[in-house]
Amino acid sequence: MSVSEDIRKTLSYYKRNGLSDTFYAAKERLDERRARERYNYVPAPAELVRSQQALWQCLEGGDDPGAVFGAEYTGKHLPLISVLVPAYETDEFFLRELLESVLAQTYGKWELILADASSTGKVAAVSSEYILKDSRIHYLRLPENKGISANTNAAAAAADGDYVAFLDHDDFLEPNALFEAALGILKTDCEILYTDEDKCDEKAQHYFEPNRKPDFDYDYLLTNNYICHLLVMKRGLFLALKLRSEFDGAQDYDLCLRAPKTKICHVAKILYHWRTHEGSTAGNPGSKDYAAERGRLALEQYFQEHHIHAEVEHSRHRGFYKVTYIPDIFSARRDVGVVGGKIVNRRHRIVGGLLQQDGSVLYAGRHEKESGPMHRMDTRQDAWAVDVRCMKIRDELRPLYRDVFGAPYESHILTAGTDYTEQSIRFCRDVYALGYNIVWDPDMILRID
């Protein structure tokens, strides 16, 4: 990014959010640039690739998955994964790298459906060359370009796989991507699977912005399309849902919002490389703005379809959303039992709020204005436990609150110097046992001396 572009973005951010927020956003942008320079993408180790290739040879030879992976996999069906690639006037270099990355997969039970909506024949020419190399590659000529949703739906209709995987025409996969996906499917019998990802420059020489995602987090999903790439879904489920053209630009976000929120598997490995260039969403500010607005509309539509009374607006981070529940989250969502916030000292540092299982405070010591990696410090998300000192609860939980803390909810038992971490964790654990969810809201703040 050029200096002039940095200045333009900073001024635009200042107009929207003011001086204080802009200062910390600029500081974080500098930290991100340093992290970008430090990030060292390490490709899949050669020994891992060789071992997976050897395992696939055993599986291809007819061995039961249980003989290869262990008794828990005995009798399970190896999934056929259909890789869907909607193409439109794709750069030849990008297309060849994509195809080579699929051919290099250590898992062999795949097919690639290349749905071409180009007006020229350059995609067809490259495709015909690769079809001769491998019969698992299929070329589908589309009569017209109806947009990414309709083109992807056409590719899915032509697929035979148990699952479909979505691959943009200018991106590429790690060689172990489909192997890890298949293993996750065998292990969990999931309907939806997603992996971590990063970005690379146009020539795939420099990698940056590793996106190491959380396991499925419903409330985080209600603020941004964090699932993104690589997304794998049961083909039957996808055909029942399909992509909706009115949300082109955020069609995958709309899909994930509408999909069931159970049987979801997260593979915590960077297996997808998102290429940034002038024509891509990742590299084009105009495309990002367009996609962000389509995402906001998709989220708004989701709430309407599920009769959740909420307003959706863009947050201070592009591609992220601020959701305001009407009149409050407990009224709008019956699933939420507790909402917790962050506790900040006089130096504006986080000292309490979002608790981990060992009782430590997530984001402890960070400035309250910081947003953190992927803006998670500044974004509503699911919580395992939250600090009672900054907590709101559903009325139905008041008896439980009294049982755990020995005091009515209204008092919040804010005795100076007392550590309520153990009781907070116990209370939240019991809340979960009753079937409620717990949400952390960074806009809910308690300031202490």
Side-chain angles (χ1 to χ4, degrees):
M1 183 183 295
S2 66
V3 174
S4 61
E5 179 66 11
D6 262 348
I7 294 173
R8 186 195 67 77
K9 289 183 67 175
T10 300
L11 288 174
S12 176
Y13 191 93
Y14 168 72
K15 290 177 182 177
R16 297 195 312 270
N17 302 299
L19 181 60
S20 179
D21 284 356
T22 301
F23 171 80
Y24 285 98
K27 176 182 178 297
E28 285 201 279
R29 189 174 299 151
L30 180 60
D31 291 342
E32 287 170 5
R33 176 167 292 178
R34 290 168 177 162
R36 174 174 177 161
E37 293 170 353
R38 292 193 302 268
Y39 173 56
N40 182 28
Y41 157 67
V42 180
E47 58 270 23
L48 172 66
V49 173
R50 286 194 296 269
S51 67
Q52 289 186 351
Q53 288 171 335
L55 288 172
W56 172 249
Q57 288 177 355
C58 294
L59 293 167
E60 192 177 25
D63 283 7
D64 188 287
V68 176
F69 298 122
E72 61 183 303
Y73 300 98
T74 297
K76 291 195 173 182
H77 168 70
L78 292 174
L80 171 63
I81 301 176
S82 298
V83 181
L84 308 183
V85 182
Y88 179 75
E89 305 296 0
T90 309
D91 180 276
E92 180 178 342
F93 174 79
F94 299 162
L95 183 57
R96 288 184 181 276
E97 284 215 334
L98 178 152
L99 291 167
E100 292 291 346
S101 78
V102 177
L103 287 173
Q105 292 300 302
T106 56
Y107 181 77
K109 197 171 181 181
W110 57 263
E111 64 173 1
L112 186 147
I113 311 295
L114 206 161
D116 181 20
S118 306
S119 58
T120 67
K122 62 181 185 179
V123 172
V126 175
S127 301
S128 62
E129 177 186 332
Y130 278 85
I131 289 170
L132 292 174
K133 290 183 180 180
D134 198 307
S135 61
R136 292 172 294 181
I137 298 175
H138 307 288
Y139 175 81
L140 175 65
R141 180 69 181 189
L142 301 178
E144 59 180 315
N145 179 25
K146 293 184 177 181
I148 190 168
S149 291
N151 297 350
T152 304
N153 290 341
D160 292 322
D162 303 294
Y163 288 78
V164 292
F166 305 95
L167 178 58
D168 289 349
H169 68 158
D170 46 4
D171 299 338
F172 58 101
L173 302 175
E174 275 289 280
N176 58 322
L178 297 185
F179 192 102
E180 299 290 350
L183 191 58
I185 290 167
L186 287 171
K187 186 180 298 184
T188 66
D189 191 31
C190 59
E191 294 184 321
I192 298 169
L193 178 143
Y194 65 97
T195 76
D196 295 350
E197 65 190 278
D198 65 9
K199 293 185 175 72
C200 67
D201 63 5
E202 189 167 348
K203 296 298 183 182
Q205 295 176 339
H206 302 287
Y207 295 79
F208 53 95
E209 291 186 23
N211 187 356
R212 297 185 174 93
K213 307 167 187 176
D215 289 343
F216 182 69
D217 188 323
Y218 177 62
D219 276 273
Y220 191 48
L221 182 65
L222 295 182
T223 66
N224 78 105
N225 180 19
Y226 84 89
I227 289 178
C228 207
H229 307 303
L230 173 70
L231 173 62
V232 181
M233 181 178 287
K234 270 191 173 178
R235 188 169 66 95
L237 174 60
F238 176 76
L239 291 176
L241 295 171
K242 295 186 179 179
L243 298 177
R244 302 196 289 191
S245 295
E246 59 266 37
F247 300 110
D248 275 2
Q251 70 287 339
D252 52 345
Y253 187 38
D254 173 61
L255 175 69
C256 289
L257 288 170
R258 290 184 291 122
K261 306 302 186 290
T262 57
K263 302 190 76 174
I264 300 174
C265 175
H266 169 218
V267 178
K269 298 181 180 181
I270 292 176
L271 301 174
Y272 189 105
H273 303 295
W274 190 0
R275 194 190 305 270
T276 63
H277 56 92
E278 187 175 345
S280 70
T281 303
N284 187 318
S287 295
K288 287 180 180 178
D289 290 339
Y290 172 81
E293 176 58 15
R294 288 298 177 95
R296 189 193 68 79
L297 294 173
L299 184 55
E300 195 174 66
Q301 181 72 17
Y302 170 79
F303 285 133
Q304 290 174 3
E305 291 174 351
H306 287 77
H307 308 290
I308 298 173
H309 300 294
E311 295 178 349
V312 182
E313 57 187 321
H314 296 285
S315 82
R316 64 192 182 110
H317 311 293
R318 182 162 53 187
F320 285 72
Y321 309 104
K322 181 177 180 180
V323 177
T324 302
Y325 293 101
I326 303 168
D328 60 35
I329 193 170
F330 299 123
S331 301
R333 288 176 49 189
R334 299 295 302 173
D335 64 300
V336 177
V338 173
V339 178
K342 57 187 176 187
I343 302 172
V344 178
N345 66 15
R346 65 175 66 186
R347 296 177 56 245
H348 304 283
R349 301 290 171 175
I350 295 173
V351 295
L354 183 55
L355 299 175
Q356 302 185 88
Q357 294 191 31
D358 63 358
S360 61
V361 178
L362 199 60
Y363 314 131
R366 302 289 292 269
H367 194 281
E368 64 172 312
K369 292 286 187 181
E370 294 182 56
S371 65
M374 300 308 297
H375 306 303
R376 294 202 71 203
M377 287 176 57
D378 199 29
T379 306
R380 190 181 282 139
Q381 58 195 266
D382 295 342
W384 186 80
V386 292
D387 194 312
V388 67
R389 293 174 295 170
C390 188
M391 176 189 289
K392 295 178 181 178
I393 69 171
R394 180 177 291 279
D395 285 345
E396 294 92 320
L397 295 175
R398 287 171 181 263
L400 175 63
Y401 186 100
R402 179 183 283 276
D403 288 346
V404 172
F405 294 104
Y409 167 69
E410 289 79 4
S411 72
H412 272 278
I413 57 171
L414 295 179
T415 306
T418 305
D419 183 0
Y420 296 104
T421 299
E422 185 176 337
Q423 290 162 294
S424 297
I425 291 175
R426 176 188 162 195
F427 175 70
C428 290
R429 183 189 62 217
D430 291 347
V431 168
Y432 268 123
L434 292 173
Y436 292 105
N437 292 324
I438 299 169
V439 177
W440 183 71
D441 185 350
D443 291 333
M444 181 176 161
I445 302 174
L446 171 67
R447 301 187 184 279
I448 62 175
D449 293 331

